[in-house]
Amino acid sequence: MTLRKLIISFVVALLPGSAALSQIHRMERTDTVAHSYNLNPVVVTGSGHHQRLKSTATPVHVLSAQEISEQGITTFDGALTRMLPQVSMAPNSMGSFLRLNGLGNKYILILINGQKLTGDISSNIDLNRINMARVKRIEILDGAASSLYGSDAIGGVINIITDQPTSSLCSVTSNTHLSGRGVLTQSVNLDVYTRGFGSYTSFTHDRADSYQNNSIEYLKGSDTETQQTIAPLFTGYRSTIVGQKFTYVPNQHLAMNAGFDYSYKITDRPETRSDVTGGTDYEMRYKGLRWNLGGIYKFNPRNSLQASFTVDRFSYGKEYDVATKNYAIGDYVQSKKQRSTEGDLKAILSLMRGSTTILGANYRNDYLDATSGNIDKSAYTLAFYAQHEQQLLRQLSATVGLRYTHHETFGSQLTPKAVLMYAPGNFRFRATYSSGYRAPGLDELYYHYFSVNRGKAQIIFGNRDLKAERSHYFSLNAEYRSDLLAVSLTGFINRISDMVVRQDIPVDDDALLMLRSAFPEMTDEQAAKMERYSRYQNSDKGDVKGAQLNVSANLFQGFNLSANYVYTYARTKSGDEWMLLDRSIRHAVTLAANYHHSWGRYTLNINLNGKLQSQTYYNAYENAPGFGLWNLNATHRFAVGRFLVLEPSIGVDNIFDRIDRRIDSAQRKYALFSPGRMLTVGLRVKLK
C-alpha cells in the first residue's frame, strides 16, 4: 500500500470526527471534557508500598494502560520497545531477547503484581504469557534492586500491575486489533463486582505470520555466492491466554484474592523443503499455568499485613509437523519443564511519625526438568528483608534497606540499599546506592546438553563451581514534577562482578574423546564437524554507565508531549580486555505527541510516536545499523446511550517504511525487525 493511499485512509478515518464536530457546532454545544496525562501517578515498585511517583525515593518509569492504548499498542514487547528508549528486543523462535540498559534477560526481574514470572526459553522469558488485556500499568525500575526483590534484579525490575475494576456491577469489553503480516489481537473481558465480591474473566488470542525482509542468504563461508532461503526474520506464532481472578472485600480492613492464568503458544514457521533452505521439521510449543492466593489486612491506612502464595508452571518442546526418520507428524518431544513455588509475607508499618517500615520474608523453590539438558534439579531460597523510610527534616528523607538471602547452593548473601532524597517544593534530588545479586540458574549449574541443528552437534556443559554474580549500582537524579510538567535527569553506574558467560572451547583430539564418551549418541559425521563446545563459567566483569532524560508536558488542555533520551555505555571485561557489551546501544530516543478532546458523547484521540536509536553493537558480528520508526494512531470514542461505548481506531505503523533488507549471513545480526509500513485497525466495545 502506498503512502498516499494510507494518508487518504487516515483522513477518511477522521471524517466521523469532523462530522461530529460540525454537528456539535450546529447544536451550539460548548461543553468539553478536560484530558491530560497524570504526571504524578501512584506507584509501588520503587519503594515496595503505594505512594505518589514524586514522593518515592527511587525513580520509577510508568507506562499506563491509557498511554499504551493511545499509541495503538497491543503487545507487552511493543509497549516496552516503543515507549522506553532503554529497552530493546530481538524476537526469535526461542522467545524475545530483552535488554534493559545494555543488560540481558537474566539480569531483569519480571513480576506480575510483585510475584516473579517463571518460564525462560534459553534465558528468554516467554513474554506472550503476559495478558495485556488486564494491564493497568507497567512500572520499570532501573538498576539493582535485590534488597527488596532478591535474585535476578541486577539490571532492573519490570512489574506488571493488573486491573480490578470496581466501578460497575457488570461489564463486558471486547478489543480487536488487526494489521499486516497476519497480526491479530483479540481479547474479551467479563467483570462482575457486587457487595465486595469481584470476578474478572479474560480471554486473549494473539497471532502473527512469519516473514522475511530478504529471501536471499549468503552461502556458508562465502560473502559473494548466495542462495534462496525461506528462513524467517520474524517467527510467526499463535498464542492464547485464559485468566480468572476472584476478589473479596468483606470490610474496610480485609481484602482477599485468588486466580489463575493459562497460556498456550505455538510457533508457525515454514516447513522443511528439499528445494530451498531455511525450513524446520517442528514447531516450538509452550504451555504455562500460574495460580495464586493472596490477601491484605489493614489495621489502619498506614499499617497493613500482606501475604501471597504463587505456583507457576511452564514447559516447552518440539511438536513435529514434518515426518522425519525418528518422529511422525504430531509427535511432541519435551525440552524443558519448570516449576516455581513462592510465598511472601510482608508488613508495612508506620512505627513513628514521618516513617514507613517494611518487614518481610520470602520463600521460593525452583524446579527444572530439562530432557535435552539431562537435568532434574531443584533449589530453594529463603530470604528476610527490611526497609525503613524516615523523614529526617521537613524536606530531607532517607531510605535504608537490607535483604538476607540463603540459597540452597550458594549460601548466604547480603544486599543493602541506601537512598537520600531532598525535596524542596516540586523539585526532587536523589542519591541512590543499591546492591544486586543473581544466583546462577539450574541450567548454568547442571546442563549436560546435546542437540543437533542442521546436522551439526551443539554441546553445553554446566558448571557446579560457579559463583553468584554481584553488582553495585549508583545513581544521581534531579527531578521537577507538577501537574503540567515533569522533567527528570538521571546519571547511573552499574558494576557487575563474576558475570556468568558461556565460553566456547575449541575441540582437539582429547576433547573429542571426552565429548563422545559423554554423548554416545553422537554420530561419526557429527563428530567430524565438531569445532567447539560450550561451558558456563565466571569470567567477565560488567560496567554500564549512562544518563537518562525524561520530559513530559501537558502543554495545553488535551495535548501532551513526551520525550525520553538514554545514553548507555556498556562494557564487559574478559581477562584483561574490555569490549562493548554485546547488543548494546549507545543512543536511543522515544517521542510521543498526543491530542485528546471531547465533544459531548464523542471523543477524538490522535497519537504520533517515534523511536530513534543508533547502531546496535555485536561483538562477533557486523553491527546492526540505527533506525528511526514513526507511528500514527487515531481513536474515536462514541458513548452510545448509558451502557455502550464504541472505540474504533486506525493507524499507520512505520510511516516512512524503514526496513533492514541486508542479506543474511553468518556475520550479520539485526536490530530492526519491522516488515515495513502497515495499516492498523482496531475496535474496542464496552458494555456496562
Side-chain angles (χ1 to χ4, degrees):
M1 181 179 287
T2 65
L3 179 59
R4 180 173 175 269
K5 290 181 179 179
L6 286 170
I7 294 173
I8 292 173
S9 299
F10 184 72
V11 171
V12 170
L14 294 181
L15 288 179
S18 302
L21 179 58
S22 63
Q23 177 67 21
I24 289 165
H25 279 315
R26 284 196 299 269
M27 295 173 62
E28 297 183 351
R29 295 185 58 178
T30 59
D31 55 309
T32 61
V33 178
H35 171 87
S36 62
Y37 284 113
N38 184 358
L39 302 184
N40 188 29
V42 173
V43 295
V44 67
T45 307
S47 61
H49 64 96
H50 291 88
Q51 59 185 167
R52 288 291 178 182
L53 183 58
K54 75 175 184 179
S55 300
T56 182
T58 305
V60 176
H61 306 283
V62 181
L63 308 180
S64 69
Q66 173 189 318
E67 295 172 278
I68 294 170
S69 175
E70 288 172 348
Q71 293 198 18
I73 298 171
T74 59
T75 62
F76 179 73
D77 55 350
L80 294 183
T81 55
R82 279 170 54 167
M83 301 176 73
L84 291 173
Q86 64 267 46
V87 175
S88 63
M89 296 272 189
N92 57 47
S93 62
M94 300 305 289
S96 294
F97 197 98
L98 169 66
R99 281 198 172 266
L100 175 64
N101 290 317
L103 295 174
N105 292 58
K106 66 181 182 179
Y107 300 110
I108 306 165
L109 182 61
I110 298 181
L111 309 172
I112 298 178
N113 295 320
Q115 302 301 310
K116 182 178 179 180
L117 179 65
T118 297
D120 69 278
I121 313 157
S122 298
S123 297
N124 302 328
I125 292 292
D126 183 8
L127 301 178
N128 287 100
R129 297 187 67 197
I130 298 170
N131 187 357
M132 289 298 291
R134 281 297 180 201
V135 170
K136 182 177 182 180
R137 65 181 184 275
I138 302 172
E139 300 180 4
I140 301 92
L141 175 63
D142 291 311
S146 290
S147 64
L148 275 179
Y149 298 105
S151 180
D152 301 346
I154 281 183
V157 176
I158 300 174
N159 193 8
I160 298 102
I161 311 298
T162 59
D163 194 17
Q164 297 173 202
T166 59
S167 58
S168 61
L169 176 64
C170 180
S171 67
V172 180
T173 304
S174 171
N175 200 344
T176 307
H177 192 271
L178 295 164
S179 64
R181 303 295 183 178
V183 175
L184 164 67
T185 301
Q186 173 64 62
S187 65
V188 179
N189 292 347
L190 171 62
D191 301 327
V192 178
Y193 185 82
T194 178
R195 297 182 180 179
F197 173 80
S199 172
Y200 309 96
T201 308
S202 63
F203 169 85
T204 299
H205 178 73
D206 291 316
R207 64 184 304 148
D209 294 340
S210 295
Y211 59 77
Q212 300 174 297
N213 286 343
N214 197 319
S215 61
I216 299 174
E217 66 178 2
Y218 285 112
L219 291 172
K220 185 176 180 180
S222 173
D223 288 330
T224 56
E225 297 183 78
T226 61
Q227 63 182 2
Q228 292 288 322
T229 180
I230 57 175
L233 174 68
F234 174 87
T235 301
Y237 66 90
R238 302 186 302 276
S239 173
T240 299
I241 302 174
V242 178
Q244 174 65 55
K245 185 172 184 177
F246 296 104
T247 62
Y248 182 55
V249 184
N251 54 56
Q252 62 181 347
H253 297 290
L254 180 63
M256 297 177 287
N257 66 84
F260 74 88
D261 286 284
Y262 169 79
S263 60
Y264 175 89
K265 174 185 172 183
I266 190 166
T267 58
D268 186 12
R269 302 182 290 187
E271 296 179 357
T272 301
R273 287 166 44 183
S274 59
D275 61 327
V276 66
T277 67
T280 56
D281 297 335
Y282 56 85
E283 303 296 346
M284 300 301 299
R285 192 184 81 185
Y286 318 95
K287 288 185 178 181
L289 177 61
R290 176 185 177 94
W291 62 269
N292 64 280
L293 302 169
I296 177 172
Y297 185 83
K298 291 187 176 182
F299 302 96
N300 54 53
R302 296 280 296 164
N303 295 272
S304 63
L305 184 65
Q306 303 176 17
S308 64
F309 180 76
T310 303
V311 176
D312 201 349
R313 298 173 180 266
F314 179 77
S315 64
Y316 75 89
K318 303 171 182 177
E319 185 174 294
Y320 282 81
D321 50 10
V322 174
T324 68
K325 180 179 179 181
N326 299 318
Y327 301 105
I329 295 175
D331 284 352
Y332 174 74
V333 180
Q334 182 175 286
S335 299
K336 183 184 283 189
K337 181 168 63 176
Q338 296 169 273
R339 183 181 71 245
S340 68
T341 304
E342 182 174 9
D344 194 75
L345 181 65
K346 180 168 66 174
I348 302 175
L349 308 169
S350 180
L351 300 177
M352 61 184 72
R353 185 176 180 181
S355 73
T356 301
T357 301
I358 296 177
L359 301 173
N362 179 274
Y363 173 81
R364 182 179 177 87
N365 188 49
D366 291 298
Y367 167 78
L368 173 63
D369 178 4
T371 306
S372 57
N374 194 25
I375 304 175
D376 187 1
K377 296 288 184 178
S378 65
Y380 75 84
T381 301
L382 180 63
F384 301 93
Y385 56 94
Q387 179 176 283
H388 182 72
E389 302 174 29
Q390 181 66 55
Q391 194 78 28
L392 301 177
L393 300 171
R394 189 170 65 89
Q395 297 174 337
L396 183 66
S397 63
T399 301
V400 292
L402 182 67
R403 187 185 189 97
Y404 167 79
T405 303
H406 177 77
H407 190 280
E408 182 178 1
T409 304
F410 297 99
S412 299
Q413 307 283 336
L414 287 175
T415 47
K417 169 186 176 181
V419 183
L420 195 65
M421 182 172 71
Y422 176 59
N426 288 329
F427 289 92
R428 299 291 182 271
F429 301 95
R430 303 176 176 95
T432 301
Y433 164 76
S434 56
S435 175
Y437 149 73
R438 192 187 82 89
L442 294 171
D443 52 350
E444 294 170 324
L445 290 170
Y446 301 111
Y447 242 14
H448 192 76
Y449 179 87
F450 176 86
S451 69
V452 179
N453 184 15
R454 298 184 183 181
K456 190 173 182 179
Q458 295 178 318
I459 293 176
I460 306 172
F461 288 104
N463 184 351
R464 301 186 186 189
D465 296 324
L466 290 175
K467 296 182 289 185
E469 300 174 78
R470 298 191 65 90
S471 72
H472 299 281
Y473 177 81
F474 306 87
S475 72
L476 294 174
N477 168 262
E479 177 184 278
Y480 173 85
R481 190 174 296 274
S482 69
D483 292 337
L484 299 179
L485 177 66
V487 181
S488 177
L489 176 63
T490 305
F492 64 89
I493 299 174
N494 200 358
R495 290 179 171 163
I496 308 168
S497 59
D498 295 319
M499 294 179 75
V500 176
V501 298
R502 206 168 75 185
Q503 183 186 37
D504 289 335
I505 303 172
V507 173
D508 56 20
D509 292 340
D510 292 337
L512 188 58
L513 288 174
M514 180 273 293
L515 295 175
R516 299 211 65 173
S517 175
F519 303 101
E521 64 268 35
M522 185 189 303
T523 67
D524 292 338
E525 182 181 2
Q526 292 164 358
K529 296 180 180 179
M530 283 294 300
E531 298 176 354
R532 58 181 55 86
Y533 67 97
S534 299
R535 182 182 179 87
Y536 288 106
Q537 68 174 28
N538 296 103
S539 69
D540 286 12
K541 293 182 179 180
D543 187 86
V544 182
K545 303 174 184 177
Q548 299 181 6
L549 175 63
N550 309 102
V551 181
S552 185
N554 294 317
L555 297 183
F556 54 84
Q557 183 172 298
F559 184 76
N560 174 270
L561 183 67
S562 64
N564 307 285
Y565 166 75
V566 170
Y567 167 83
T568 307
Y569 183 51
R571 301 185 302 165
T572 181
K573 184 178 183 181
S574 183
D576 296 326
E577 182 182 0
W578 283 98
M579 63 183 67
L580 293 177
L581 196 63
D582 202 45
R583 298 179 185 264
S584 62
I585 300 163
R586 191 68 61 89
H587 306 278
V589 176
T590 58
L591 301 166
N594 192 87
Y595 176 71
H596 181 113
H597 197 80
S598 296
W599 299 270
R601 294 183 174 274
Y602 169 74
T603 300
L604 171 66
N605 190 94
I606 303 176
N607 187 284
L608 175 67
N609 63 84
K611 180 166 187 176
L612 302 87
Q613 71 177 45
S614 59
Q615 66 178 1
T616 301
Y617 175 78
Y618 288 96
N619 182 26
Y621 306 94
E622 174 186 304
N623 291 348
F627 60 84
L629 291 182
W630 290 92
N631 312 286
L632 184 65
N633 189 69
T635 302
H636 309 277
R637 184 178 189 273
F638 300 91
V640 183
R642 295 175 55 191
F643 305 108
L644 178 63
V645 176
L646 301 177
E647 292 186 6
S649 63
I650 187 168
V652 182
D653 283 351
N654 194 354
I655 296 172
F656 299 107
D657 201 25
R658 299 294 187 233
I659 305 175
D660 188 346
R661 297 190 184 277
R662 292 177 299 155
I663 299 176
D664 196 10
S665 77
Q667 298 302 316
R668 286 190 175 154
K669 294 287 184 180
Y670 296 85
L672 176 58
F673 294 87
S674 172
R677 185 189 301 119
M678 292 192 300
L679 180 69
T680 67
V681 294
L683 176 63
R684 182 174 183 266
V685 180
K686 184 171 183 178
L687 182 63
K688 56 182 179 178

